[in-house]
Amino acid sequence: MYDLLVLGGGPAGYLAAERAGHEGMSVCCFEMRELGGVCLNEGCIPSKALLNCAKVYEHALHGEKFGVLTHDIALDHALVQKRRARVVRTLVAGVKAKMREHHVEVVRERAVLRGRVDGGFAVEAGGQVYEGKRLLIATGSSPVVPPIPGLREGLDSGWVVTNREVLALPEAPKKLLIIGGGVVGLEMAAYYRTAGSEVAVVEMLDHIAGATDREISDLLLKEYRRKGVDFRLGAKVVALGEGRVTVVEAGGDTVRLEADKVLLCVGRRANVQEMGLETLGVEITRAGVRVDACGRTNVPDVFAAGDVNGVSMLAHTAYREAEVCVNTMLGRQDAMRYDAIPSVIYTLPEVAGVGLTEEQAREQGVAYECRKLSMRYSGRFVAENEGDGLCKMLIDAQRRTVLGVHMIGAYASEIIWGAAAMIETGLRVEDARKIVFPHPTVSEMIREVLWTFS
Ligand code: NAI
């Protein structure tokens, strides 16, 4: 009998397996596709490989401003695809190596729970039964498919694709229509627009990028409209078929937009079906498997981490949840906190944020102060970039602790963790100002903004 059976080999599953193995537990991890899950194979990593190629290309296009004379520049989508595949292969091999290093047995089969056995639980995979003292459910999530006429047929024929296929299209479609202006939609709009596609984004809300600070998402919207992306906000797709997508626009007009490919990205749903959770009586809510702050489900010794709990649906949240679960299994005190989880959109320019946005602070009735500065306050930003960006910070008006930081501009994704650390540790403005930032870096923007408060 294993100490731990892990269902799912994505960021939550493989990291939990690795940590548990490191602590000397015997672990078996089940993965029906590839180790690394959505993040590594059809999400975070391949999309970043694509987006970096687009970034290199855009930099080359504007090379002259930086003294680099470039001619006959082209973005070759086929070569980009080769690079994406190589990057993914390398990293999947890395996860496999980690599993070996920590003596985790990996079973490449679909696993189904088969109830209790003496002293633990049974899982069936590939016709074999495995027993474990504890379970970790880390089966991830799948794209939401809304009941729009023609959508299912479109998916079946390959005309409509999801995050998985869009990353591996053999060529950039002439006309790409994206349903959903959230993170997936924006990142793919960014890549394919640069790769030469005509891109339209149909978003139900009156703004893009979901819960991103509104001032920041408006700047991103403006930038991508300038780059030629056709955003239809407050619009609804009502039917699809024959190469056209029928959209009811904000004003009530109905238009039919042509598309060679349609990307569906309107959110994700926890994978909780057909895996035998009912054999143990694991409680499931509308969002996913219900867990407490330690990752425990309602069934003792059954844990859940990652997208399957429906709380945050980000790979970096999954990592931390996995650690909390393993620590709890080992009797160590640990718990999840969700108020300092950074979010990033890897467009050009990048967007990154952590903590409360102004909208959330207002909604929650928090007494806050907000200050913002142009990124051109950073010497390195000006030296390296043409355009502009923004960095804004919210602090608690009484306690003067940092509540939120939101940025748009180069390196935002690499800087934001520092702001997360300030929020996580409840740092006050006066104390944060004592931190020495390397100069010249764009990270100094945080220091600059800290000094704008009285
Ligand atoms: P999302 O929740 O980020 O965005 C979905 C968007 O679709 C929302 O703006 C929503 O208003 C809109 N929408 C919903 N129904 C619609 C409809 N019928 N018509 C038009 N618009 C509609 O979900 P997305 O982009 O699919 O991403 C899935 C998950 O993956 C998210 O949890 C996201 O955080 C994660 N992700 C994270 C990335 C990152 O951290 N950089 C990159 C890509 C995905």
Side-chain angles (χ1 to χ4, degrees), residues 4 13 62 79 87 163 203 217 250 285 303 342 350 380 405 407 436:
L4 174 63
H62 302 118
L79 290 179
V87 167
N163 63 289
E203 166 58 51
S217 66
T285 66
F303 294 75
E350 300 179 344
R380 186 178 183 195
V405 174
M407 314 175 79
V436 178

Side-chain angles (χ1 to χ4, degrees), residues 48 146 148 179-185 187 202-205 210 235 237 265-268 312-314 344-346:
K48 263 72 279 172
I148 303 172
I179 310 178
V183 201
V184 172
E187 292 188 352
V202 181
E203 166 58 51
M204 203 166 68
L205 303 176
V237 172
C265 46
V266 295
R268 301 182 66 87
S312 154
M313 293 210 175
L314 291 165
V344 176
I345 311 174
Y346 295 82

Side-chain angles (χ1 to χ4, degrees), residues 98-345:
K98 285 258 181 180
M99 296 296 100
R100 279 195 301 275
E101 185 187 336
H102 296 288
H103 311 291
V104 175
E105 184 173 347
V106 176
V107 176
R108 291 277 303 278
E109 298 284 351
R110 181 182 167 79
V112 178
L113 301 177
R114 289 288 180 233
R116 290 170 193 282
V117 290
D118 201 16
F121 308 94
V123 165
E124 190 184 329
Q128 233 181 296
V129 176
Y130 299 79
E131 294 180 357
K133 294 179 194 159
R134 302 177 193 84
L135 283 178
L136 176 71
I137 316 289
T139 47
S141 63
S142 304
V144 167
V145 181
I148 303 172
L151 188 55
R152 269 271 159 230
E153 293 81 348
L155 283 164
D156 291 344
S157 72
W159 175 50
V160 181
V161 295
T162 66
N163 63 289
R164 178 179 301 159
E165 304 84 16
V166 77
L167 291 162
L169 293 180
E171 53 194 47
K174 195 167 169 317
K175 290 181 184 212
L176 173 66
L177 186 135
I178 300 178
I179 310 178
V183 201
V184 172
L186 292 169
E187 292 188 352
M188 289 303 99
Y191 173 74
Y192 280 104
R193 181 67 199 128
T194 306
S197 301
E198 281 174 42
V199 179
V201 177
V202 181
E203 166 58 51
M204 203 166 68
L205 303 176
D206 65 353
H207 61 274
I208 58 166
T212 303
D213 186 275
R214 188 63 184 268
E215 199 174 352
I216 302 274
S217 66
D218 282 348
L219 286 171
L220 186 67
L221 176 68
K222 203 169 138 199
E223 178 61 15
Y224 272 90
R225 276 199 162 136
R226 194 186 64 74
K227 287 184 176 175
V229 175
D230 174 16
F231 286 97
R232 312 268 172 147
L233 303 183
K236 245 175 94 176
V237 172
V238 291
L240 300 96
E242 290 156 17
R244 283 163 194 269
V245 178
T246 310
V247 177
V248 177
E249 299 212 282
D253 291 346
T254 300
V255 290
R256 297 189 79 205
L257 304 174
E258 276 178 31
D260 300 306
K261 274 284 173 219
V262 177
L263 167 63
L264 175 70
C265 46
V266 295
R268 301 182 66 87
R269 185 165 292 148
N271 290 334
V272 292
Q273 302 301 324
E274 292 158 29
M275 48 188 278
L277 285 173
E278 66 289 346
T279 64
L280 298 174
V282 174
E283 190 184 337
I284 300 164
T285 66
R286 266 174 58 98
V289 175
R290 194 174 68 79
V291 289
D292 65 11
C294 300
R296 291 178 290 223
T297 68
N298 61 316
V299 180
D301 294 322
V302 179
F303 294 75
D307 283 12
V308 76
N309 67 27
V311 179
S312 154
M313 293 210 175
L314 291 165
H316 44 279
T317 306
Y319 284 148
R320 179 74 190 116
E321 288 174 343
E323 286 172 355
V324 168
C325 286
V326 173
N327 281 337
T328 306
M329 290 172 200
L330 293 166
R332 298 176 184 154
Q333 223 170 30
D334 202 357
M336 269 314 283
R337 282 185 48 190
Y338 290 95
D339 43 9
I341 292 182
S343 60
V344 176
I345 311 174

